Amino acid sequence: ALRCLAAIPALYSPTATTTTTPSSVVPIAQQLYAAIVPRLSAHDLDPEIKDVSLLATASLLSHWHVHLAPCDRDTLLQLVLDKIGNETTRAAALRALHTVVSTQNEQQHSPKISLDSILVEGCLQVSGLLKQQSRATRLGALELLGALVENHGAHLVDGRFWKECVKELALLVSESDLQISNLESQPVSRTTRVIL
């Protein structure tokens, strides 16, 4: 059922040729929010249900964040950030937040989602994941960090983030793993563009 809920926002999102009136979307967005939050906030669910809850959250935030109340949007973002801190849900949460951040580039008709409630804390947490031994975690963190810096870097005025981020990224440069070194260079170049 959660997979079906995840598909709804994409199916009813406006495109260049069609429009969906906000008044018809708001009640559906609120019902999706009400269905997703209990599963996303539960701690004792099957890992697959947690992963699909994160997928549904990413879909709802990517397509219909403007139809959610700001407190509901912030609640979902904080729950996704909490799941990044949990080792069993980390990979799915990194993908979910990356989807939310990167979808904004594809949807020109929709305003950019506000990540103000989690931006600094989230970026610090994600840059901290660059220390992990798991290569998959480091790759996911690098991809998300690159998207966060590219799409929301101008809102990162906290110097702690830039200092920590550059320090951790510099440690990743290695001839033994060129894929990570290549991915590492993308946030560094984006960071430099934002700072300058």
Side-chain angles (χ1 to χ4, degrees), residues 22-194:
S23 61
S24 65
V25 172
V26 171
I28 300 169
Q30 292 170 342
Q31 290 175 352
L32 289 176
Y33 172 82
I36 292 169
V37 167
R39 284 149 189 92
L40 191 61
S41 57
H43 297 287
D44 57 348
L45 291 177
D46 182 80
E48 185 178 354
I49 294 173
K50 291 178 188 178
D51 289 354
V52 177
S53 297
L54 286 161
L55 175 71
T57 301
S59 179
L60 180 59
L61 287 172
S62 296
H63 298 286
W64 285 353
H65 64 91
V66 295
H67 304 298
L68 292 171
C71 62
D72 292 345
R73 180 198 61 225
D74 292 345
T75 297
L76 288 174
L77 288 169
Q78 188 59 53
L79 285 169
V80 172
L81 190 60
D82 292 345
K83 299 299 180 189
I84 289 175
N86 182 330
E87 194 172 337
T88 59
T89 56
R90 183 172 293 144
L94 286 169
R95 284 191 307 270
L97 194 52
H98 185 269
T99 299
V100 171
V101 172
S102 59
T103 302
Q104 295 304 303
N105 282 341
E106 300 164 10
Q107 294 182 350
Q108 301 302 322
H109 59 276
S110 178
K112 190 179 286 192
I113 188 170
S114 171
L115 299 179
D116 293 343
S117 64
I118 65 156
L119 189 59
V120 173
E121 178 190 354
C123 286
L124 287 169
Q125 186 174 348
V126 171
S127 66
L129 293 176
L130 299 175
K131 300 175 188 175
Q132 295 284 323
Q133 291 296 318
S134 166
R135 185 172 188 274
T137 298
R138 289 194 320 260
L139 285 171
L142 275 170
E143 289 174 353
L144 176 55
L145 197 57
L148 283 167
V149 169
E150 182 176 334
N151 295 313
H152 297 277
H155 300 285
L156 285 167
V157 294
D158 190 327
R160 294 176 307 145
F161 165 71
W162 296 114
K163 181 180 177 182
E164 184 69 23
C165 180
V166 171
K167 183 176 97 177
E168 294 302 328
L169 289 170
L171 295 174
L172 291 177
V173 177
S174 168
E175 289 181 21
S176 62
D177 195 338
L178 294 178
Q179 182 180 12
I180 285 188
S181 292
N182 181 43
L183 277 174
E184 175 270 337
S185 68
Q186 295 170 6
V188 168
S189 66
R190 292 172 184 154
T191 300
T192 306
R193 278 183 285 184
V194 170

